[in-house]
Amino acid sequence: MTQSNKINRQHVLAERPKGEPTADTLHLVEGEIPTPGKGQILLRTEYLSLDPYMRGRMSDAPSYAAPVEIGGVMVGGTVAQVVSSDVKGFEAGDFVLSFNGWQDYALSDGKGVTNLGKSPAHPSWALGIMGMPGFTAWAGLTRIGEPKAGETIAVAAATGPVGATVGQIGKILGCRVVGIAGGAEKCAYAVNELGFDACIDHKAADFADQLAKASPDGIDVYFENVGGKVLDAVIPLLNPNARMPVCGLVSQYNATALPEGPDRMNWLMGQILRKKIKVQGFIIFDDFGHLYPEFAAEMGAWVEAGKIKYREEIIDGLEKAPKAFIGLLKGENFGKRVIRVGQN
């Protein structure tokens, strides 16, 4: 069923998944389009962003943000169009960056909504290179990683929306960039299209050895967004005074228990101590939201000049969002995964 002007489709959380989300985790329900009141905007979703953090919102474990309630609409960033508005600064036909979640229509009082104008050239890019993923890469690398020309940067999920941007910024800043990705096709893209110096397939049996050979001078900045065996391979290669911005641990999001094997926490803490490694987690808008205008100006200029390339994977249909999200958590995406909800 395509988007209509009579029904509001919503993906609601039906259960808290144990391990990977399944086809039963979210239910697609239909209801009435909400009626806006005084001081409200009615928004129609055009694009829905799919992002790994959403797995955490399905869980009720303690986190930096409240979980989605059972029966609640799944959260998510969106690009929408204004249907009607009683809020100054917004009028019918405007495209906006909003947080409608996984549904066709939503009401807003305008807070936290960014007007993109009547005809943005690439409206969905506000969910990627010019939005949260791009901002995460820029702020995490430049403010926490603080790379210097000639240093080596390693980044996992190297062809995803964050990792691809981290690597390209690293090259702009004069660094050697080593990407880590799943599969030969993604690694070739990172080197041949994005300009990385090397990219290692984490599925290779000798992955750790290949990573060491690709980092002959060690690693000065590791942009962490995956965890697991990739982190295990990187830690021994970190140089003294290395920096590690941490924005995600996607390999662990479906885990239901700690991994088997010996407790390596003391080994990790010893590495951090002896090498004086800086490890800093961050939540982009909580920690760096005030820098968004600076980011937007710099990233916009880089994109316009062709210094930053951006790959987007658009999937048509709100009904396909759950399957696409499950695939995202498995690394099946190639670039930024977006659901086209509307018809524009």
Side-chain angles (χ1 to χ4, degrees):
M1 179 180 177
T2 58
Q3 191 176 67
S4 79
N5 58 4
K6 297 180 180 179
I7 295 172
N8 186 26
R9 300 169 301 166
Q10 300 176 313
H11 281 291
V12 300
L13 187 65
E15 63 177 15
R16 300 208 182 279
K18 294 179 175 62
E20 295 182 6
T22 70
D24 295 323
T25 300
L26 295 165
H27 285 176
L28 183 62
V29 301
E30 297 179 357
E32 296 182 353
I33 296 174
T35 301
K38 185 175 177 60
Q40 289 188 315
I41 310 169
L42 176 60
L43 299 173
R44 182 181 65 247
T45 305
E46 299 293 342
Y47 297 95
L48 166 66
S49 178
L50 296 183
D51 299 286
Y53 79 83
M54 294 171 176
R55 175 61 183 86
R57 301 294 181 88
M58 294 176 175
S59 169
D60 58 2
S63 185
Y64 63 88
V68 176
E69 297 295 332
I70 298 296
V73 177
M74 190 60 204
V75 299
T78 53
V79 167
Q81 269 198 300
V82 175
V83 178
S84 64
S85 172
D86 189 46
V87 176
K88 185 178 180 180
F90 300 93
E91 60 182 34
D94 288 345
F95 279 83
V96 299
L97 175 62
S98 55
F99 298 91
N100 293 10
W102 294 33
Q103 59 181 342
D104 284 310
Y105 293 89
L107 296 177
S108 172
D109 61 4
K111 294 179 181 178
V113 177
T114 303
N115 198 323
L116 303 175
K118 286 286 195 297
S119 55
H122 302 283
S124 61
W125 287 18
L127 300 172
I129 190 65
M130 297 304 301
M132 183 267 288
F135 191 19
T136 296
W138 178 87
L141 183 61
T142 63
R143 275 17 184 210
I144 300 175
E146 298 181 312
K148 305 173 185 64
E151 290 189 324
T152 296
I153 297 170
V155 59
T159 60
V162 175
T165 308
V166 166
Q168 291 180 92
I169 294 174
K171 293 305 299 179
I172 290 172
L173 298 179
C175 296
R176 175 177 174 79
V177 174
V178 179
I180 300 163
E185 183 183 6
K186 290 181 178 180
C187 283
Y189 176 79
V191 173
N192 299 331
E193 296 296 328
L194 302 182
F196 286 32
D197 295 283
C199 187
I200 310 304
D201 181 0
H202 65 72
K203 298 178 181 179
D206 60 343
F207 161 65
D209 290 339
Q210 287 191 41
L211 182 63
K213 291 177 181 177
S215 312
D217 297 321
I219 294 170
D220 300 291
V221 180
Y222 172 53
F223 198 103
E224 172 64 303
N225 52 16
V226 170
K229 68 178 183 181
V230 173
L231 177 61
D232 291 344
V234 168
I235 292 294
L237 303 177
L238 292 177
N239 288 328
N241 299 304
R243 290 81 69 196
M244 188 190 304
V246 181
C247 76
L249 291 168
V250 69
S251 73
Q252 306 304 301
Y253 288 166
N254 289 325
T256 57
L258 292 174
E260 295 182 1
D263 182 355
R264 302 177 68 197
M265 181 59 72
N266 287 329
W267 172 80
L268 174 61
M269 295 304 292
Q271 292 279 316
I272 292 172
L273 173 61
R274 289 190 294 274
K275 294 182 178 180
K276 298 176 288 183
I277 300 166
K278 180 174 81 170
V279 180
Q280 183 176 335
F282 67 104
I283 307 300
I284 184 59
F285 285 104
D286 288 357
D287 297 307
F288 298 111
H290 61 289
L291 296 178
Y292 183 82
E294 182 180 346
F295 153 74
E298 187 161 42
M299 184 60 69
W302 283 338
V303 172
E304 181 70 22
K307 293 182 177 181
I308 295 283
K309 295 180 180 179
Y310 177 58
R311 181 167 180 148
E312 190 176 50
E313 186 182 68
I314 293 181
I315 297 173
D316 284 304
L318 181 62
E319 70 281 358
K320 296 180 182 177
K323 183 178 180 181
F325 177 66
I326 292 170
L328 174 74
L329 294 178
K330 295 179 179 179
E332 293 175 1
N333 60 300
F334 197 163
K336 169 62 182 173
R337 184 165 280 192
V338 175
I339 299 296
R340 181 158 41 205
V341 180
Q343 303 304 306
N344 289 309

